Amino acid sequence: MTSNSGEADVIEIGDPFWSIEVNVNIRNRVHFDVWDTFLTRRKLADLTFTMWRSLRPTPRDPAITADATLSIVSVDSGNSTVTISDVLSVGRKAYPGDMISYRTANNGYWVGQVLAEATYDGSGEATLSVWPRPVAPHASVTAPRRIAALGEFRLTETARVQEGFKRWDIRFRAEQVLR
């Protein structure tokens, strides 16, 4: 809300969500059938799906090429931090914009964006400032991902099929689910 003086108040309403708009150029009938079936299984917003941010599939540090030894040390929702450990990342860096995800205690997928540069210490640990606020990880499966970090999404509208002469598109919007 902006006042006449130019000052502004920010009011957070509900959880922060990332929304995505997907536009698929259909190559042929088989390709259409795959997407059509995927969308039909979603039953609009009844079932969620996972995907990663296509512009950020990997961390910015080119030396980070695997998540095999990556684990969660702690999650601090109040301070919006996640501490992770990776013995293969000693001395490596996490950069603003890098993505990280993990399975949540409620069997969802949390995905967050690193907000500030962090260096993995001598034992391979790094505390990452992230947004949105992290949620509790799953008790038995806490393997986080930096590569193709998965977020959980739900369709927000019915998919639109656009047919043209020798060109077909499917478009839909979805919103991040935090659970």
Side-chain angles (χ1 to χ4, degrees), residues 108-173:
Y109 288 87
W110 175 86
V111 63
Q113 183 174 356
V114 174
L115 299 177
E117 189 173 300
T119 302
Y120 291 83
D121 65 18
S123 64
E125 284 189 12
T127 298
L128 309 176
S129 175
V130 295
W131 189 257
R133 291 191 186 281
V135 298
H138 194 276
S140 63
V141 183
T142 59
R145 295 172 70 149
R146 296 169 293 191
I147 298 168
L150 294 175
E152 185 174 9
F153 293 86
R154 174 177 287 128
L155 294 177
T156 58
E157 63 183 34
T158 303
R160 299 175 309 277
V161 177
Q162 184 175 6
E163 294 187 35
F165 182 70
K166 295 191 178 191
R167 181 185 169 102
W168 306 274
D169 296 320
I170 293 180
R171 295 179 185 193
F172 61 90
R173 291 177 188 251

Side-chain angles (χ1 to χ4, degrees), residues 81-103:
T81 61
V82 175
T83 301
I84 58 176
S85 177
D86 181 11
V87 295
L88 301 177
S89 291
V90 172
R92 306 283 183 240
K93 290 188 183 256
Y95 291 96
D98 285 354
M99 304 302 293
I100 184 164
S101 71
Y102 56 85
R103 190 167 159 212

Side-chain angles (χ1 to χ4, degrees), residues 14-30:
D15 291 325
F17 292 104
W18 280 332
S19 60
I20 56 171
E21 185 168 324
V22 178
N23 183 17
V24 181
N25 293 343
I26 301 299
R27 295 184 304 268
N28 54 39
R29 170 69 189 269
V30 172

Side-chain angles (χ1 to χ4, degrees), residues 8-83:
D9 290 327
V10 176
I11 302 171
E12 283 189 32
I13 302 174
D15 291 325
F17 292 104
W18 280 332
S19 60
I20 56 171
E21 185 168 324
V22 178
N23 183 17
V24 181
N25 293 343
I26 301 299
R27 295 184 304 268
N28 54 39
R29 170 69 189 269
V30 172
H31 190 218
F32 174 77
D33 289 345
V34 168
W35 276 99
D36 190 46
T37 303
F38 166 80
L39 292 166
T40 300
R41 284 193 314 260
R42 300 290 71 77
K43 298 180 185 173
L44 190 55
D46 291 346
L47 299 175
T48 61
F49 61 95
T50 57
M51 69 180 294
W52 59 85
R53 295 185 80 183
S54 60
L55 189 59
R56 295 184 174 132
T58 58
R60 197 166 83 187
D61 188 330
I64 297 175
T65 59
D67 289 335
T69 59
L70 188 65
S71 63
I72 294 176
V73 175
S74 66
V75 171
D76 184 344
S77 185
N79 289 316
S80 202
T81 61
V82 175
T83 301

